[in-house]
Amino acid sequence: ANRVEDPEAELCKVITYIQDAVIRPIDRKFPGQPFSADLQSFPFTPTVLVIGNHSCGKSTFINGLIGKAVQATGVAPTDDGFTILERARLPGSEDVVEDGPTILGC
């Protein structure tokens, strides 16, 4: 199995490449440079949308990626809306769960 020695450093390299090769050139072409504020904080937090058929493993994938059970899983539909998961702002901060469109720091 190929293991990455420092996953965070490797991810920073990938994000830097995407920022430099894709985002910055696009940003320069738009009036007002709409992405410039996001590019000031490195690495900016990308927005990812996970889409798939019913019971295809979306929640299981997210739980595995984050390393804890933040999404309910099951054969029957377990969610009927969007859930927004965002990086916790402070180390050791507690998860916040709200009814409706959910924002969960993790």
Side-chain angles (χ1 to χ4, degrees):
N2 293 333
R3 293 204 174 244
V4 176
E5 197 167 308
D6 186 353
E8 187 173 343
E10 193 64 29
L11 187 57
C12 282
K13 287 181 194 175
V14 171
I15 292 171
T16 299
Y17 173 78
I18 292 170
Q19 285 179 332
D20 293 343
V22 179
I23 305 296
R24 289 183 197 280
I26 291 171
D27 189 50
R28 284 192 290 269
K29 291 182 180 187
F30 282 104
Q33 296 183 317
F35 303 120
S36 60
D38 290 329
L39 295 169
Q40 298 304 316
S41 59
F42 176 80
F44 72 92
T45 303
T47 299
V48 178
L49 178 63
V50 179
I51 297 176
N53 290 330
H54 162 71
S55 286
C56 69
K58 297 176 298 290
S59 294
T60 302
F61 170 74
I62 291 168
N63 290 343
L65 186 65
I66 292 176
K68 61 182 173 178
V70 296
Q71 289 289 102
T73 59
V75 176
T78 56
D79 203 345
D80 63 353
F82 292 100
T83 303
I84 300 170
L85 305 172
E86 66 178 6
R87 184 182 312 179
R89 298 295 175 215
L90 300 171
S93 62
E94 295 188 25
D95 293 343
V96 176
V97 178
E98 299 174 2
D99 193 21
T102 303
I103 299 178
L104 174 63
C106 45

